[in-house]
């Protein structure tokens, strides 16, 4: 069958084909022209005449004077403005240095707002700004007035799609920021570098913030001190103290060496990792704080012990007076959530962080096994032998509280009940024959606790710490009450001492054999430093009487001296 030829009415002529393609070509040309205009037009459009109006509008929003060197219109990828040399002045009460300085700030317009003849910014992006946080001795922060000013400006949520009667709050962000801390007019060495910041309004009554950065110091070389992150919400209120807070923070990935370098200005020669988390809930003037500190695989830097220290400490407190006072402070190690019977607990109050001399604190323990104490000692010192055996349980408490018209110091007492120390080199008998007790003294106080001893020996216990006429009293500190040591004599030797802020003094008297003395020195090397040099050269095989004193200034060497002439061997029946 032959196909019918198209009639003239149905045949597509060339002119018709050109007309049909023309709208498509026109659309492409118009799109190219618009694109070229978006790329080429902005440099020729001057918006600097709006610079003063823009700066005035920003100043009213922040409550601080804003300066701009220039304003540039950009149309791609979204219409907006770029401000150069963006500076926000400081309140004169906090100093003359600007609170914010940024070389470049990009503000993106909300297109939907233009139809209502009202300019709204969807995002405001700061590139590498420098921000100064200033805290005065009267407790005020330079951000106080900015926060309160923002709280009184009505705004719609940032994510609201349609414009409404109130402008939508922009998404404010910063990258590569640096936050500096100033106390009064002095800039501290602490700062937060390479910080990323974001602030937006998810609800008309609260802001959401996010901050992440690296802590640093300017007066020393600190690198890799971990990462600090803070996220949470701030609410609207009539005054700063009433501003609702719900914040979570974390300091993580922090090596202990760099962390101590950051906090104290020098490496304290400890290694391991630190992780600190905190939660704040309440208001600026009254909020609850929960923190948790973990030290992971902590040790000294100069050696690696068999067992590393693991610390899991939880603290609760109430913050008052705009975070200048912390009351009802309670800490437990390990946390109550981990163990109902923590080894160490602390409580106290910090009435004013600007005056720590008014701080009160009490630390106590219901009982720490002597074996645990020995493990901690092995972490602190590589000199402790691995074959020691110990018994006992440490309990007691220490407190620090302000004392009017005098220097505050630690007070309290610690008791190691059932104390035992066995060095296999000296046999199976314990070198310690009584409990160990530390008691605080305020000036001179005679030991109030005596070890259980035979009655004939009790009256002969050396009290060389007694203050004699014409000699100064003991400095406030702690005394080691007379403790019996089994050093090879028929009667135990007596050890007592005094510890204060400058150092310590130990007094060892009684009967002892060289072998048992050296076994004790080997078991506790810090106690034995210099002891061998103070022993007589004509050492007898049997026990002899000793009267020795050890002195050491903290971080200095220990010196043992004999208080009597070279001792002669003790007389034993049958010996002539």
């Amino acid at each position: 069958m032959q196909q019918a030829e198209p009639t003239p009415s149905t045949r597509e002529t060339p002119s018709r084909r050109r007309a049909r393609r023309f709208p498509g070509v026109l659309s492409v040309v118009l799109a190219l022209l618009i694109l070229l205009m978006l790329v080429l037009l902005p440099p020729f459009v001057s918006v600097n005449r709006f610079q003063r109006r823009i700066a005035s509008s920003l100043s009213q929003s922040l409550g601080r004077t804003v300066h701009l060197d220039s304003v540039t219109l950009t149309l791609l990828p979204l219409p907006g403005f770029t401000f150069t040399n963006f500076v926000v002045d400081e309140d004169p009460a906090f100093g003359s240095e600007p609170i914010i300085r940024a070389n470049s700030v990009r503000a993106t317009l909300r297109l939907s707002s233009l139809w209502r003849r009202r300019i709204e910014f969807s995002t405001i992006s700061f590139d590498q700004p420098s921000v100064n946080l200033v805290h005065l001795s009267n407790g005020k922060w330079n951000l106080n007035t900015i926060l309160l000013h923002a709280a009184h400006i009505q705004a719609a949520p940032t994510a609201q799609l349609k414009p409404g009667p109130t402008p939508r709050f922009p998404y404010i962000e910063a990258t590569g920021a640096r936050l500096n801390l100033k106390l009064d007019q002095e800039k501290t060495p602490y700062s937060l570098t390479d910080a990323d910041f974001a602030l937006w309004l998810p609800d008309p009554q609260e802001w959401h913030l996010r901050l992440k950065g690296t802590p640093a110091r300017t007066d020393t070389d600190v690198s890799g001190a971990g990462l600090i992150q803070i996220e949470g919400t701030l609410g609207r209120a009539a005054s700063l103290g009433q501003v609702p807070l719900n914040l979570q923070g974390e300091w993580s990935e922090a090596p202990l060496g760099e962390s101590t370098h950051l906090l104290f200005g020098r490496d304290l020669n400890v290694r391991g990792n630190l992780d600190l988390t905190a939660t704040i809930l309440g208001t600026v003037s009254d909020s609850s704080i929960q923190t948790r500190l973990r030290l992971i695989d902590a040790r000294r830097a100069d050696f690696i012990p068999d067992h590393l220290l693991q610390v899991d400490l939880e603290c609760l407190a109430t913050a008052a007076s705009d975070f200048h006072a912390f009351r009802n402070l309670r800490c437990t190690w390990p946390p109550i959530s981990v163990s109902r019977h923590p080894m160490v607990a602390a409580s106290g109050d910090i009435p004013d962080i600007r005056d720590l001399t008014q701080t009160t604190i009490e630390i106590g323990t219901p009982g720490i096994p002597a074996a645990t104490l020995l493990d901690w000692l092995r972490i602190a010192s590589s000199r402790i032998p691995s074959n020691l055996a110990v018994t006992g349980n440490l309990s007691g408490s220490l407190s620090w509280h302000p004392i009017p018209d005098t220097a505050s110091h630690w007070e309290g007492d610690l008791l190691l009940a059932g104390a035992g120390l066995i060095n296999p080199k000296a046999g199976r008998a314990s070198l310690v024959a009584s409990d160990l007790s530390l008691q605080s003294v305020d000036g001179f106080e005679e030991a109030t606790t005596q070890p259980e001893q035979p009655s004939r020996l009790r009256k002969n216990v050396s009290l060389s710490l007694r203050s004699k006429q014409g000699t100064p009293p003991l400095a406030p500190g702690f005394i080691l009450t007379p403790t019996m040591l089994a050093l090879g004599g028929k009667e135990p030797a007596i050890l007592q001492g005094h510890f204060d802020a400058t150092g310590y003094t130990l007094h060892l008297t009684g009967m002892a054999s060289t072998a048992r003395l050296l076994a004790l020195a080997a078991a506790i090397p810090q106690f034995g430093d210099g002891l061998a040099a103070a022993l007589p050269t004509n050492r007898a095989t049997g026990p002899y009487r000793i009267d020795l004193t050890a002195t050491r200034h903290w971080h200095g060497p220990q010196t043992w001296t004999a208080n009597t002439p070279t001792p002669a061997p003790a007389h034993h029946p049958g010996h002539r």
Side-chain angles (χ1 to χ4, degrees):
M1 179 181 292
Q2 293 184 349
Q3 187 175 6
E5 294 184 0
T7 63
S9 60
T10 60
R11 186 182 302 120
E12 186 176 23
T13 64
S15 60
R16 286 184 176 181
R17 286 197 299 269
R18 287 194 298 270
R20 185 171 57 84
R21 289 197 299 265
F22 181 75
V25 174
L26 182 61
S27 299
V28 173
V29 172
L30 288 176
L32 290 175
L33 288 176
I34 292 174
L35 181 62
L36 288 174
M37 291 177 62
L38 293 175
V39 174
L40 300 177
L41 186 60
F44 299 97
V45 177
S46 176
V47 293
N48 282 328
R49 65 176 181 268
F50 300 113
Q51 177 176 331
R52 182 176 300 177
R53 184 183 302 176
I54 293 173
S56 176
S57 176
L58 292 173
S59 298
Q60 293 176 3
S61 299
L62 294 175
R64 301 284 177 88
T65 303
V66 175
H67 303 277
L68 307 172
D69 274 3
S70 64
V71 180
T72 303
L73 173 67
T74 56
L75 299 177
L76 291 177
L78 291 173
F81 300 99
T82 298
F83 312 133
T84 59
N85 197 16
F86 181 93
V87 177
V88 179
D89 283 349
E90 180 63 276
D91 184 332
F94 295 89
S96 58
E97 191 174 4
I99 184 173
I100 302 175
R101 182 188 295 274
N103 292 331
S104 176
V105 178
R106 163 75 176 167
T108 303
L109 288 171
R110 292 184 184 269
L111 294 179
S112 60
S113 68
L114 299 179
W115 303 108
R116 299 171 61 88
R117 298 182 180 181
R118 182 177 62 196
I119 295 179
E120 290 184 25
F121 294 113
S122 60
T123 61
I124 300 177
S125 303
F126 292 80
D127 183 28
Q128 297 182 340
S130 177
V131 180
N132 290 319
L133 303 180
V134 184
H135 186 246
L136 300 182
S137 56
N138 60 11
K140 293 183 178 180
W141 289 88
N142 60 341
L143 292 179
N144 289 7
T145 55
I146 293 180
L147 290 175
L148 287 178
H149 187 81
H152 290 88
I153 298 177
Q154 296 299 317
T158 302
Q160 181 174 299
L161 297 179
K162 297 181 179 180
T166 57
R168 288 162 289 184
F169 191 83
Y171 183 88
I172 301 175
E173 61 182 359
T175 57
R178 182 184 184 91
L179 277 69
N180 306 301
L181 176 62
K182 295 177 63 177
L183 298 179
D184 290 320
Q185 303 302 318
E186 182 180 356
K187 183 173 290 187
T188 70
Y190 299 102
S191 62
L192 198 65
T193 61
D194 297 325
D196 293 337
F197 173 79
L199 178 69
W200 67 97
L201 193 71
D203 181 88
Q205 298 303 316
E206 69 176 18
W207 291 271
H208 194 109
L209 66 87
R210 184 185 297 130
L211 174 65
K212 178 174 66 175
T214 302
R217 291 184 70 115
T218 58
D219 60 350
T220 186
D221 184 19
V222 177
S223 61
L227 186 68
I228 290 180
Q229 301 181 76
I230 300 174
E231 185 164 359
T233 60
L234 302 172
R236 294 180 182 272
S239 64
L240 181 68
Q242 297 174 334
V243 171
L245 298 176
N246 187 355
L247 301 175
Q248 295 80 42
E250 182 178 16
W251 183 12
S252 59
E253 303 174 16
L256 277 175
E258 292 301 319
S259 300
T260 57
H261 200 174
L262 172 76
L263 295 174
F264 304 103
R266 60 187 180 90
D267 187 346
L268 297 185
N269 294 320
V270 291
R271 296 296 179 265
N273 292 290
L274 176 148
D275 187 88
L276 176 65
T277 60
T279 299
I280 302 174
L281 183 62
T283 64
V284 172
S285 62
D286 186 8
S287 58
S288 62
I289 300 179
Q290 180 178 0
T291 63
R292 191 162 183 177
L293 171 67
R294 293 181 178 90
L295 302 182
I296 305 166
D297 296 338
R299 61 175 178 86
R300 284 181 50 172
D302 50 356
F303 74 97
I304 301 178
D306 293 335
H307 301 283
L308 303 177
L309 180 63
Q310 313 295 331
V311 174
D312 190 355
L313 177 69
E314 183 179 56
C315 291
L316 305 174
T318 299
S321 302
D322 299 349
F323 291 91
H324 289 93
F326 297 86
R327 307 191 184 281
N328 198 21
L329 177 65
R330 308 176 308 283
C331 299
T332 55
W333 174 23
I336 296 296
S337 58
V338 175
S339 173
R340 293 184 178 181
H341 304 286
M343 288 191 300
V344 179
S347 62
D349 291 291
I350 306 176
D352 191 343
I353 60 173
R354 294 159 297 188
D355 183 11
L356 295 181
T357 60
Q358 301 302 313
T359 299
T360 61
I361 188 170
E362 182 173 355
I363 303 174
T365 174
I368 302 177
T372 301
L373 297 174
L374 184 61
D375 288 340
W376 293 350
L377 190 59
R378 288 195 175 108
I379 294 172
S381 173
S382 61
R383 302 169 62 191
I384 307 301
S386 60
N387 58 349
L388 295 181
V390 295
T391 61
N393 197 62
L394 179 69
S395 61
S397 64
L398 302 175
S399 63
W400 173 282
H401 56 85
I403 301 175
D405 303 323
T406 185
S408 300
H409 57 270
W410 288 100
E411 295 181 344
D413 58 82
L414 297 172
L415 175 65
L416 183 60
L421 175 62
I422 300 174
N423 186 345
K425 294 182 178 180
R428 298 182 178 180
S430 173
L431 295 167
V432 179
S434 69
D435 297 343
L436 274 74
S437 175
L438 277 177
Q439 298 179 357
S440 61
V441 289
D442 185 5
F444 172 75
E445 292 182 9
E446 187 176 314
T448 58
T449 302
Q450 298 285 348
E452 291 297 328
Q453 308 165 39
S455 59
R456 67 179 185 277
L457 177 64
R458 198 173 295 152
K459 63 181 180 180
N460 294 325
V461 170
S462 171
L463 290 177
S464 60
L465 299 178
R466 186 188 302 276
S467 179
K468 299 180 180 180
Q469 187 175 3
T471 62
L474 295 178
F478 290 85
I479 58 172
L480 172 65
T481 61
T483 304
M484 292 190 295
L485 302 178
L487 298 182
K490 289 185 177 181
E491 299 174 346
I494 300 299
L495 176 68
Q496 55 187 328
H498 174 254
F499 302 80
D500 59 32
T502 61
Y504 63 80
T505 299
L506 299 174
H507 191 198
L508 178 61
T509 60
M511 302 298 295
S513 69
T514 299
R516 298 284 287 181
L517 268 173
L518 295 181
L520 179 62
I524 310 177
Q526 291 78 6
F527 171 83
D529 287 341
L531 178 60
L535 298 179
T537 55
N538 56 337
R539 296 170 182 168
T541 57
Y544 47 83
R545 189 168 299 281
I546 56 173
D547 188 350
L548 304 172
T549 298
T551 58
R552 185 198 292 266
H553 290 280
W554 299 119
H555 306 297
Q558 178 175 268
T559 303
W560 281 93
T561 56
N563 300 320
T564 59
T566 302
H571 176 72
H572 293 277
H575 290 265
R576 295 183 179 179

